[in-house]
Amino acid sequence: MKRMDGKVALVTGAARGMGRAHAIRLAEEGADILAIDCPPDSGLPYATGSSHDLQITVKEVEALGGRIIAHEGDVRKQSSLDNLVADGVKAFGGLDVAVANAGIWTVHPFHDIPEDEFTAVLDVNITGVWRTLKAVTPALKERGGGSIIVTSSGNGVEGSPHYAHYVASKHGVIGLAKSAALEFGGDGIRVNILLPGPTDTPALDWQGGYDLCSGKGPGQGVKEDLEGAKYWSVLRDVGLLPPRAMSEAMLWLASDESRWTTGLEMHVDGGHTLMAGLNMAKMAADQTP
């Protein structure tokens, strides 16, 4: 038997990046998938997942022999999440796992963050997680329990300049998840937190991502500076992490193998949070003739 045989799993932000990787990894292990992502958001400085991207996720799950229901919807709307859960329960008989993965970010110096962007980032990254948990917990209780995984970030436990609103949201989601873990433990529902390091997803492939990895300041980075992510890792030959790395950790938290675990902050970051700053040994080695 596969680890997720007979299980039904919901994934938000499933059109691409980590969300698609999560849906595929769960399907590989036998889960039926409920997937949701929103149409492109023209208010963001980078391209977001599209209907076409979501259909690629559907096709990749189906190519594995898996069953999937995919909705275009927005975690900023409770009805989008409630409708997906209702359709999934009707089609597949219940719900066992929820992965609250959807997230957005923008980059601005502190005083230049537009209020609408600050509000949008928190509405997706924190309030969207709250809405997701509201949508899924009744179905999980009906099933006798289950597993919820929420996505924070390495920035959920450290500060960083030029995207304070994103950092605040990722700190906040940890508190939200730990509070939910306390409330839902008696119902057999586990709530754990995944904290990714710098990951090779489309959300990093724009000027803000280049600046983040370059350390040169706003507007100074170039695409090649994404290679600078290797200085964020303790591990040899590790730079930007593949989305699959996050999905392997997510799978353990989703599966019965972690049935004694709740409220955990799971860092998947190459050891970045062990360091006070960048990996200077790697940097020095690269600069040695």
Side-chain angles (χ1 to χ4, degrees):
M1 288 185 64
K2 296 179 180 179
R3 281 185 277 180
M4 300 300 293
D5 278 348
K7 305 281 190 182
V8 181
L10 180 147
V11 181
T12 68
R16 61 182 196 173
M18 281 187 274
R20 179 186 291 167
H22 294 338
I24 290 170
R25 189 70 189 95
L26 289 161
E28 286 175 343
E29 291 292 333
D32 294 320
I33 305 300
L34 308 179
I36 189 168
D37 213 321
C38 62
D41 188 335
S42 59
L44 292 173
Y46 57 90
T48 56
S50 65
S51 301
H52 176 69
D53 293 325
L54 187 57
Q55 286 307 307
I56 291 174
T57 300
V58 169
K59 290 176 181 178
E60 294 203 17
V61 168
E62 291 177 340
L64 296 166
R67 300 189 297 176
I68 180 170
I69 295 172
H71 283 192
E72 282 193 25
D74 194 334
V75 297
R76 288 170 284 194
K77 296 180 179 179
Q78 189 67 53
S79 60
S80 292
L81 295 156
D82 291 343
N83 291 340
L84 178 60
V85 171
D87 285 356
V89 169
K90 182 177 180 179
F92 300 145
L95 183 67
D96 304 281
V97 173
V99 186
N101 166 78
I104 60 173
W105 74 309
T106 61
V107 176
H108 299 282
F110 193 97
H111 288 93
D112 296 334
I113 301 172
E115 186 170 346
D116 60 342
E117 286 188 20
F118 197 106
T119 301
V121 167
L122 267 64
D123 199 11
V124 173
N125 294 4
I126 297 181
T127 316
V129 172
W130 171 68
R131 292 189 190 98
T132 301
L133 269 60
K134 283 182 66 180
V136 303
T137 47
L140 294 175
K141 290 177 183 179
E142 284 290 325
R143 201 75 146 174
S147 176
I148 296 171
I149 302 99
V150 307
T151 302
S152 177
S153 165
N155 286 129
V157 294
E158 63 183 11
S160 191
H162 301 134
Y163 50 106
H165 49 332
Y166 175 82
V167 172
S169 75
K170 293 303 185 178
H171 275 71
V173 79
I174 293 176
L176 180 69
K178 289 188 173 184
S179 298
L182 289 168
E183 288 205 37
F184 301 142
D187 298 306
I189 298 172
R190 299 177 287 110
V191 186
N192 292 292
I193 308 111
L194 183 64
L195 290 84
T199 306
D200 189 9
T201 72
L204 199 59
D205 190 11
W206 66 287
Q207 187 63 52
Y210 310 155
D211 294 344
L212 175 68
C213 291
S214 74
K216 299 173 184 175
Q220 301 300 307
V222 294
K223 188 178 180 74
E224 289 72 21
D225 286 323
L226 293 175
E227 296 179 7
K230 65 185 176 182
Y231 301 123
W232 295 19
S233 173
V234 172
L235 298 173
R236 183 186 63 202
D237 301 326
V238 173
L240 287 181
L241 298 159
R244 179 88 174 193
M246 306 308 144
S247 298
E248 296 292 356
M250 175 281 305
L251 178 64
W252 184 78
L253 293 171
S255 75
D256 290 340
E257 294 169 10
S258 63
R259 59 190 175 275
W260 298 288
T261 302
T262 196
L264 174 70
E265 297 176 33
M266 178 176 278
H267 293 264
V268 185
D269 62 2
H272 171 70
T273 49
L274 295 173
M275 299 186 294
L278 299 177
N279 189 329
M280 303 308 294
K282 274 189 181 181
M283 194 174 292
D286 281 352
Q287 294 172 353
T288 301

